[in-house]
Amino acid sequence: MKRWMIAVLALLVLAGLAGGGLYFSGILGPGSDGAEAAPPPPATLPEVPDVAYYELKNVLLPAYRSGTFRNYIAFSFKVEVKDEATALLLRDRNAHMRSALMNDFSRQPIETRDGPADFDQAVVKARVLDALRRASGEIEVRDVLVTSVLPVKG
C-alpha cells in the first residue's frame, strides 16, 4: 500500500511540474487558443521642437548697492531661438543686443544686496529677455539662459 501511495504522489508531482512548465512556456494558460496575441504598439517619443542657441559672452552690466556704483558683473547668455538659421541671423544683431543690454542696465542698474553678485536672478533674466527681444528685431527670441555670472571690480 505504501509503494502504491508513493508512486501516485510521485506521478502527481511530475504532472504538476509538467503542467507548470507548459503554463510558463505559454503553451497552456490564458490566451492559449493557438492565436498569437498582437504585440503592443511601439512607444513613440514626444515631438521635441527644434531649438538652437546663440551664445552671447562677456556682457558687462553695471551693479549698484544702496544707490552707489559698486562693480560690473560679467554675464554669459545662451539665447534660445527656433533653429540654426535664426541663430546665424542673431550673429549679425550681436552689437545691437549688447547695446540694448547696456542701455537698459545703465538706466536702471542691477541692484545687489550683500555681495558683488548677490541679486535677484529672475528679475535680471526677465529684463535681459525683454531687451534682447527688442534688439533682435523681427527675429523671435524664445528664452535666455544665464550660463555664467562673474563679478568684476569696477
Side-chain angles (χ1 to χ4, degrees):
M1 182 76 163
K2 283 185 178 181
R3 283 186 190 184
W4 188 71
M5 220 26 157
I6 291 174
V8 168
L9 280 175
L11 187 61
L12 285 174
V13 167
L14 285 175
L17 288 174
L22 291 174
Y23 178 79
F24 286 112
S25 68
I27 296 173
L28 290 180
S32 62
D33 56 355
E36 299 234 353
T44 58
L45 296 174
E47 293 259 343
V48 178
D50 289 336
V51 172
Y53 293 99
Y54 175 73
E55 290 196 40
L56 193 59
K57 295 182 179 181
N58 299 326
V59 179
L60 291 175
L61 300 177
Y64 279 53
R65 187 177 331 141
S66 303
T68 59
F69 176 76
R70 291 294 180 182
N71 60 345
Y72 287 98
I73 301 175
F75 287 92
S76 290
F77 302 109
K78 280 190 174 182
V79 182
E80 181 181 320
V81 292
K82 66 179 180 175
D83 57 8
E84 288 293 327
T86 308
L88 290 175
L89 289 175
L90 273 185
R91 185 174 56 189
D92 298 334
R93 306 289 303 172
N94 189 352
H96 297 285
M97 291 187 296
R98 287 178 183 277
S99 176
L101 288 171
M102 193 53 145
N103 286 338
D104 188 45
F105 284 93
S106 291
R107 276 186 252 126
Q108 184 182 1
I110 299 169
E111 186 65 34
T112 59
R113 291 183 287 265
D114 296 329
D118 184 22
F119 57 89
D120 189 0
Q121 188 169 355
V123 171
V124 171
K125 180 181 172 185
R127 289 179 59 198
V128 166
L129 183 60
D130 183 50
L132 290 179
R133 283 182 175 161
R134 280 183 283 135
S136 64
E138 64 259 354
I139 300 171
E140 178 189 356
V141 174
R142 293 182 176 172
D143 199 7
V144 64
L145 304 171
V146 179
T147 56
S148 72
V149 177
L150 180 66
V152 179
K153 246 333 190 207

